[in-house]
């Protein structure tokens, strides 16, 4: 049976997901779309399938009988309402991050899903589907470097748009580390602090860049994450785990080393979509398969909530400069592994 998906939001990530469902993945097709920009919706239909129906609103799309599952890739502040609506209709929903813009909003989604009695939500955190991170997690879980003690990370972009703000370094950039490091270490966060080194001259006046985020887990692991979104040289994701008996590093993306013009070099990526393109494919295929098997296994609403709790603490730490402790609700048995 082909899963019939309705997509809410036809911006950049929405278009990319619609493309992969239509051309790359198996077992699903897009049957309806909606977007606040009607022309974007019409363009998507023209590009992929004239049979796709354009709906007037997200609510109408969710309620449509032909829509069996929902893809939410709209503006972040709209996510909570749309996910809750999908849950109320008993329809599985894949929601791009953020699940909601506050931890309280994420908790409302958790409570609604628990009340439904089965998992209906998968959050668009793609890094647990990246081959490099999966290999790194296997090394840690197998005890090959002993118990983790410290983690050193970097999240670097060559440049960002003029609308990018200091807080977005947490909510749009660090949020991926906040999710994947919990998964990598099988641990939760206890506190956060943010410090600002010397500001790069390439950052616009309203943006503090770079930033260093210092995290401590409940288990005592110390984490530092450098977020530098005007590094100029490329898109670069680094992660090194220091254990009691060894060190493990996230593998670099495959690239061909070259010697030419009296130099030795290895090309670097500049586009985040290319760095994680296989992971994006894998996460959405997992959602499709999970809906068809009635057993979602990807990042859950609880993972969305945990990331939001940590993000809220980091945002507070940006302004206070202090070590901010995190207070998380107890994880419901519904989300236990």
């Amino acid at each position: 049976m082909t899963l019939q998906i309705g997509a809410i939001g036809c911006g950049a990530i929405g278009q990319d997901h619609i493309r992969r469902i239509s051309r790359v993945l198996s077992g699903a097709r897009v049957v309806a779309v909606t977007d606040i920009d009607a022309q974007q919706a019409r363009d998507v239909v023209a590009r992929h399938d004239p049979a796709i129906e354009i709906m007037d609103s997200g609510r109408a799309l969710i309620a449509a009988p032909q829509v069996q599952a929902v893809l939410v890739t709209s503006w972040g502040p709209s996510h909570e309402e749309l996910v809750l609506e999908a849950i109320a209709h008993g329809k599985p929903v894949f929601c791009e991050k953020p699940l909601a813009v506050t931890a309280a909003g994420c908790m409302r989604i958790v409570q609604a899903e628990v009340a439904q009695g089965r998992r209906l939500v998968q959050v668009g955190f793609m890094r647990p589907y990246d081959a490099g991170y999966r290999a790194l997690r296997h090394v840690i879980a197998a005890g090959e470097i002993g118990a983790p003690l410290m983690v050193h990370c970097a999240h670097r972009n060559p440049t960002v748009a003029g609308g990018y703000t200091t807080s977005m370094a947490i909510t749009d950039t660090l949020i991926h580390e906040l999710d994947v490091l919990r998964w990598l270490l099988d641990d939760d966060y206890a506190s956060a602090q943010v410090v600002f080194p010397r500001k790069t001259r390439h950052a616009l006046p309203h943006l503090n860049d770079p930033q260093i985020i210092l995290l401590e887990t409940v288990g005592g692991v110390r984490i530092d994450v450098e977020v530098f979104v005007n590094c100029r040289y490329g898109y670069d994701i680094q992660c090194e785990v220091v254990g009691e008996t060894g060190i493990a590093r996230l593998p670099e993306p495959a690239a061909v080393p070259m010697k030419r013009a009296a130099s030795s070099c290895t090309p670097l990526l500049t586009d985040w979509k290319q760095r994680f393109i296989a992971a994006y494919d894998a996460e959405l295929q997992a959602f499709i398969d999970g809906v068809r098997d009635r057993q979602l296994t990807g990042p859950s609403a609880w993972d969305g909530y945990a990331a939001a709790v940590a993000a809220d603490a980091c945002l507070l730490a940006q302004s206070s400069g202090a070590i901010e402790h995190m207070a998380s609700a107890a994880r419901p048995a519904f989300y236990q592994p």
Side-chain angles (χ1 to χ4, degrees), residues 18 26 30 65 72 91 149 166 186 196 199 210 216 234 253-254 280 294 296 298 301 304 334:
I18 292 167
S26 62
V30 177
V72 175
K91 294 186 178 183
L149 306 175
T166 298
D186 193 21
F196 296 97
K199 179 176 173 175
E216 183 178 9
Y280 279 112
R294 294 183 63 83
L296 293 180
F334 183 85

Side-chain angles (χ1 to χ4, degrees), residues 242-280:
V242 180
E244 290 182 313
T245 59
I247 294 173
R249 292 189 180 93
L250 180 70
E252 295 282 353
V256 177
M258 292 182 288
K259 294 182 179 180
R260 60 189 180 94
S263 66
S264 177
C265 64
T266 303
L268 296 175
L269 294 171
T270 58
D271 186 341
W272 54 270
K273 286 178 292 189
Q274 290 303 311
R275 169 63 177 83
F276 289 108
I277 189 168
Y280 279 112

Side-chain angles (χ1 to χ4, degrees), residues 5-10 14-15 18 22 30-46 48-49 51-58 60-61 66-67 71 73:
I5 296 178
I8 303 173
C10 299
Q15 291 177 32
I18 292 167
S22 303
V30 177
V31 297
V33 298
T34 188
D35 193 275
I36 193 169
D37 183 339
Q39 187 58 51
Q40 281 197 147
R42 290 192 290 268
D43 290 345
V44 164
V45 170
H48 295 291
D49 183 356
I52 296 174
E53 185 175 358
I54 299 176
M55 311 293 288
D56 291 335
S57 67
L61 181 145
Q66 71 271 31
V67 172
L71 173 68
T73 55

Side-chain angles (χ1 to χ4, degrees), residues 265-333:
C265 64
T266 303
L268 296 175
L269 294 171
T270 58
D271 186 341
W272 54 270
K273 286 178 292 189
Q274 290 303 311
R275 169 63 177 83
F276 289 108
I277 189 168
Y280 279 112
D281 291 348
E283 68 166 353
L284 205 46
Q285 185 66 65
F287 173 73
I288 293 166
D289 295 343
V291 172
R292 296 172 69 192
D293 296 340
R294 294 183 63 83
Q295 187 175 7
L296 293 180
T297 58
S300 67
W302 181 259
D303 294 318
Y305 165 75
V309 169
D312 284 354
C314 291
L315 289 172
L316 183 58
Q318 278 186 330
S319 57
S320 72
I323 297 173
E324 300 293 346
H325 297 278
M326 302 181 199
S328 175
R331 179 175 3 194

